[in-house]
Amino acid sequence: MNSPTATKVGHGLARLLGIKLAYRDPTGQEKLMRGESTITVSTATQYVEEEPTAWEWIQEIFPNGHGLLAYAYNLFPFVHWIGRYNGQWLFGDLVAGITVGAVVVPQGMAYAKLAELPVQFGLYSSFMGVLIYWFFATSKDITIGPVAVLSTVTGNVVSQVKASNPEFAAHVVASALAIICGSIVCFIGLIRCGWIVDFISLAAISAFMTGSAINICVGQVPTMMGITGFSTRDATYKVVIHTLQHLGRSNLNAAMGLTALAMLYIIRSACNFAAHKMPRRAKLFFFLSTLRTVFVILLYTMISWLVNRNHKKNPKFTILGKVPRGFQDAGVPFINTTLIKAFASEIPATVIVLLIEHIAISKSFGRVNNYTIDPSQEMVALGVSNLLGPFLGAYPATGSFSRTAIKSKAGVRTPFAGVITAIVVLLAIYALTAVFFYIPSASLAGVIIHAVGDLITSPNTVYQFWRISPLEVLIFFAGVIVTVFSSIEDGIYTTICVSVAVLLFRVVKAKGRFLGKVKIHSVIGDHLVDDGGKDKDGRYGAMGNGRRELDANDPENSARNIFLPLQHNDGTNPEIGVESPYPGIFIYRFSEGFNYPNANHYLDFMVATIFRETRRTNPNTYGKLGDRPWNDPGPRRGRTADDHSDRPTLKAIILDFSSVNNVDITSVQHLIDVRNQLDRYTSPDKVEWHLACINNRWTKRGLAAAGFGYPAPAMDSPFFQRWKPIFSVAEIGGDSSAAAAAEYVENEKHLQRQRTRDLEQEQIMTKNLAVTDDHISGDDGNSNSSTQDYHRQLSTSQPYLNKAAKVAVVHGLNLPLFHIDLTSALQSAIANVEMKSEMEAKGVGTMDM
């Protein structure tokens, strides 16, 4: 179906359904005259801005064939760089992979205890996380595997399900949880909705990490001290109370745990001190500090072997015991509806923890190491890792902050380092399980406390939060307190819900600003600067020389007008007088979007201020007392109305849309209602609406459909016939255009090359001919002549001849009240107000409707 036929069919359907295609169309738009615009037909390029169509929107949203191919290609980022892999990259990956592997083995086993699982499941999760992630990764630094917070959440889920459904084994519950949460995260990534994590604020993340770290540390103290007899899964404050009540029951485990914890901090402090004193060996001390966990675990394992080698059945302190060799729990994970229902209420919290840690860490290290991660692709990587991991017995895993920091500092070059780490873990699973038998549980508890202690937000960071946004510090403390006195899950929900509530409150209660005009000058040090950014020293003198010298030297060349809030509530100097734009003309700026939640709040404030600052155009609008509305009853009987004759009448409103990206039906309808309200207020005149800085075509389309963008229809008015539009134009060609500047640069390069060749030829001739000093002097004269010729050629280059330049309007001629900036909007409003005043003074006509 061709375009004309489709148009006819569409118009026929519209008539059949009673749809008014010209609804709120600019009445008289075809008769709209350009009046006395300074743009002439001979010098201006005609431009009519076309409205965006639904088909354009569909093309932008849905991918075409090329987009689908790019989508498939980007699902496997490793193909972008694997073909250029080299030996130098391999060396960096080997060092980082082995280092992280040495750290993840003891950490993985320790975190499995937090998840209420045998230690081998931590190794399975460590292996599968690093092995799968690199295929889909957009971050070279991230290490996927067991982490303290997610392991704690998993342990809570396992305990909850086993209490209600004891027939399910702990590792079955953990594997099912990993598959369900992994599939959710993978789906979010595949549909490219990674932006969803941006709704979680930094204050919420910090509160979650701090509260969780405190919860984990407190929960590990009883294990480190050898205290039993109560649940460490209770609320944090209860665990603290129970620990203090049973502190006297501590045993030999405390010696193994406390000394291991102290040794970890001592080694780290000593390495940091040595690196500070000996910067040349900082890399050596970094690796020594990184391997402190391995050293401490091996040391205390050896001590445990010496103490318990003859007491395997009845050890002197708690040890891990037998760890199966290999992947003994590999198989197809078990999932059914009963199991899913048992932990369905915990799925949102688990998914949030998966996303918070991984995306926050990957973004942070991406910025530090100068690369950009794709949150959606990272979700795919994370989801696939958790989907495939349970087939070898893994439980939920995500990005680890401590291991990622180690990997980054170790000099990792590509995500392939994860394969090296997987090999190290695989060796541990098959070759070191006999050694794991003697690892003290108290020492592992000390390792956990040491690892999560760094997740607690420092007081200095909290103070910086306070400096930036005090309200978010309250959110931070609310999240920490709820986590301590309730649970990690409740703390997550609290911080996220309160953060979203604060965001919505700020959107709904966004404040508009009335602007005024201020003339400013640019200054470098104490010297004025012209429009081109060049110092005017010597012409204008110092600012301190006084206003008289400034005026005498024509400061208009370095001055420009800006628009500031009339009340100086943006922090500008209150001593600077902000001028009202023009009597009866108001400039109003939307500060934070213009949509249905805040439209009413914006416009109520605007109307109230306009009513307070102006008077009715026709004071005799209400001829009788009974004609007045109930909300404006007028003065009491026997009293006269207040005299507001000193106030101007409302003539025009300029709206600054620079912070508005989209509008909706509700916000536009509010604007229509206010326009009708103010038209009644200014009757028989009409208020002019000028809209500046609109940066979205769909916003223009919506506003134009509502009747904005062109003058109010009043075809019988002589003023409307002689309405004066003012357009912003730009040069196409001419000595001020971009094309002329480009040609100038090219000509300058060409002539400079020609000048260089001439000088080289002169030097050759000078050497070959034994010229006298007079000849040399003559050559200098020729050189000066050549220089003059060069500048003469450049100055007479075609684009710098004073020729008439073509100009083009920036905005379409069909929407003359949409302006490129506030200056052009104000010029247009003032020009038409003054023209109307002149015509009324001459008695040409009025704006009778």
Side-chain angles (χ1 to χ4, degrees), residues 385-534:
S385 298
N386 283 281
L387 277 171
L388 299 182
F391 287 87
L392 288 183
Y395 70 91
T398 187
S400 166
F401 179 82
S402 60
R403 296 194 295 273
T404 298
I406 291 170
K407 192 175 180 182
S408 177
K409 290 181 180 179
V412 64
R413 302 303 301 272
T414 72
F416 186 74
V419 177
I420 311 300
T421 301
I423 294 173
V424 174
V425 177
L426 189 64
L427 290 174
I429 292 174
Y430 279 96
L432 299 178
T433 51
V435 178
F436 297 156
F437 180 91
Y438 291 101
I439 295 178
S441 297
S443 299
L444 276 182
V447 168
I448 294 173
I449 294 174
H450 178 70
V452 302
D454 293 334
L455 300 180
I456 298 176
T457 305
S458 66
N460 180 61
T461 302
V462 176
Y463 174 72
Q464 299 303 324
F465 287 172
W466 176 265
R467 293 280 298 166
I468 296 170
S469 177
L471 182 60
E472 291 189 270
V473 174
L474 300 180
I475 297 175
F476 169 82
F477 282 114
V480 173
I481 291 171
V482 170
T483 302
V484 169
F485 286 92
S486 182
S487 65
I488 293 176
E489 294 82 356
D490 290 341
I492 293 171
Y493 295 142
T494 299
T495 52
I496 292 177
C497 290
V498 175
S499 297
V500 172
V502 170
L503 173 64
L504 292 176
F505 177 81
R506 286 172 171 170
V507 171
V508 172
K509 292 296 182 180
K511 295 181 179 180
R513 298 284 186 263
F514 282 96
L515 307 181
K517 186 174 63 173
V518 175
K519 180 177 290 186
I520 65 169
H521 304 267
S522 296
V523 174
I524 294 179
D526 62 348
H527 295 85
L528 286 173
V529 175
D530 67 1
D531 294 337
K534 296 181 179 179

Side-chain angles (χ1 to χ4, degrees), residues 202-423:
L202 179 59
I205 295 174
S206 300
F208 152 73
M209 299 297 286
T210 300
S212 300
I214 295 173
N215 180 287
I216 293 168
C217 288
V218 170
Q220 289 302 301
V221 169
T223 303
M224 185 177 65
M225 302 293 292
I227 302 172
T228 58
F230 59 90
S231 173
T232 58
R233 295 285 173 180
D234 290 338
T236 304
Y237 77 99
K238 290 183 179 180
V239 177
V240 172
I241 293 173
H242 293 155
T243 301
L244 294 175
Q245 288 175 340
H246 299 87
L247 195 60
R249 293 164 54 183
S250 302
N251 51 35
L252 191 58
N253 284 283
M256 303 300 291
L258 288 174
T259 54
L261 178 62
M263 185 172 291
L264 287 168
Y265 279 108
I266 290 171
I267 293 174
R268 185 175 74 174
S269 300
C271 289
N272 290 341
F273 178 79
H276 179 71
K277 290 295 184 180
M278 293 177 281
R280 293 183 178 179
R281 298 184 179 179
K283 197 73 172 181
L284 171 64
F285 290 114
F286 160 73
F287 283 107
L288 291 176
S289 177
T290 297
L291 298 176
R292 66 185 181 275
T293 302
V294 179
F295 170 75
V296 169
I297 289 297
L298 290 177
L299 174 63
Y300 280 82
T301 300
M302 184 181 69
I303 294 173
S304 176
W305 175 75
L306 293 173
V307 173
N308 295 312
R309 59 182 174 174
N310 298 321
H311 307 280
K312 288 185 177 181
K313 294 183 179 180
N314 189 21
K316 298 295 184 180
F317 43 80
T318 307
I319 57 177
L320 289 185
K322 185 177 180 180
V323 178
R325 182 173 180 267
F327 296 96
Q328 299 295 323
D329 296 280
V332 178
F334 175 81
I335 301 178
N336 61 17
T337 54
T338 303
L339 180 55
I340 295 174
K341 288 179 181 178
F343 61 70
S345 60
E346 304 299 324
I347 291 176
T350 309
V351 171
I352 291 172
V353 174
L354 273 172
L355 296 180
I356 283 180
E357 290 204 69
H358 184 87
I359 302 300
I361 293 169
S362 58
K363 283 185 176 180
S364 175
F365 280 89
R367 296 188 187 102
V368 169
N369 294 311
N370 195 30
Y371 63 86
T372 303
I373 65 110
D374 181 354
S376 297
Q377 183 60 29
E378 287 297 312
M379 288 185 182
V380 173
L382 185 61
V384 173
S385 298
N386 283 281
L387 277 171
L388 299 182
F391 287 87
L392 288 183
Y395 70 91
T398 187
S400 166
F401 179 82
S402 60
R403 296 194 295 273
T404 298
I406 291 170
K407 192 175 180 182
S408 177
K409 290 181 180 179
V412 64
R413 302 303 301 272
T414 72
F416 186 74
V419 177
I420 311 300
T421 301
I423 294 173

Side-chain angles (χ1 to χ4, degrees), residues 678-722:
L678 294 180
D679 281 346
R680 290 192 295 270
Y681 179 71
T682 60
S683 177
D685 291 343
K686 293 284 187 180
V687 180
E688 275 191 23
W689 292 79
H690 297 260
L691 286 71
C693 306
I694 303 176
N695 50 35
N696 185 295
R697 293 176 64 210
W698 285 94
T699 300
K700 291 181 183 179
R701 168 176 160 158
L703 293 169
F708 295 94
Y710 32 78
M715 297 308 300
D716 295 334
S717 170
F719 167 70
F720 185 82
Q721 297 288 348
R722 296 295 297 167

Side-chain angles (χ1 to χ4, degrees), residues 588-603:
Y588 190 65
R589 171 178 291 165
F590 298 118
S591 60
E592 198 166 347
F594 182 62
N595 299 99
Y596 70 91
N598 55 26
N600 192 62
H601 183 73
Y602 271 134
L603 298 180

